């Protein structure tokens, strides 16, 4: 099951490219693209890092139920 997320929206609000977000988190641009499109569910440490980066609780960034 893919997990819906608000990464693209949060990234756009900050004016960051996928490459810039990836660099900030130590992952590739391709990883960011895959997470945004729901093809890849990030590891828990990466999910936590994304939440912290955007200052949002995980439940706000990722929606396992697909209710986004």
């Amino acid at each position: 099951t893919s997990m819906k997320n608000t990464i693209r929206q949060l990234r756009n609000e900050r004016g960051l490219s996928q490459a810039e977000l990836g660099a900030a988190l130590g992952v590739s641009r391709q990883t960011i693209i895959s997470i945004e499109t729901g093809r890849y569910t990030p590891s828990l440490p990466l999910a936590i890092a994304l939440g912290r980066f955007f200052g949002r609780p995980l439940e706000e960034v990722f929606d396992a139920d697909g209710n986004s």
Side-chain angles (χ1 to χ4, degrees):
T1 37
S2 71
M3 201 176 324
K4 296 219 182 286
N5 67 73
T6 58
I7 303 298
R8 177 173 284 145
Q9 178 189 335
L10 292 167
R11 179 176 58 74
N12 286 335
E13 284 171 8
R14 295 241 181 143
L16 293 168
S17 70
Q18 290 163 327
E20 287 168 333
L21 178 56
L25 295 166
V27 298
S28 70
R29 174 177 167 265
Q30 198 59 48
T31 297
I32 299 299
I33 292 168
S34 296
I35 293 169
E36 285 184 355
T37 58
R39 284 199 312 267
Y40 172 71
T41 299
S43 64
L44 185 56
L46 179 52
I48 291 169
L50 281 159
R52 283 191 182 142
F53 182 84
F54 291 114
R56 303 285 175 88
L58 279 184
E59 298 79 12
E60 210 175 287
V61 179
F62 295 97
D63 181 7
D65 302 322
N67 295 328
S68 294

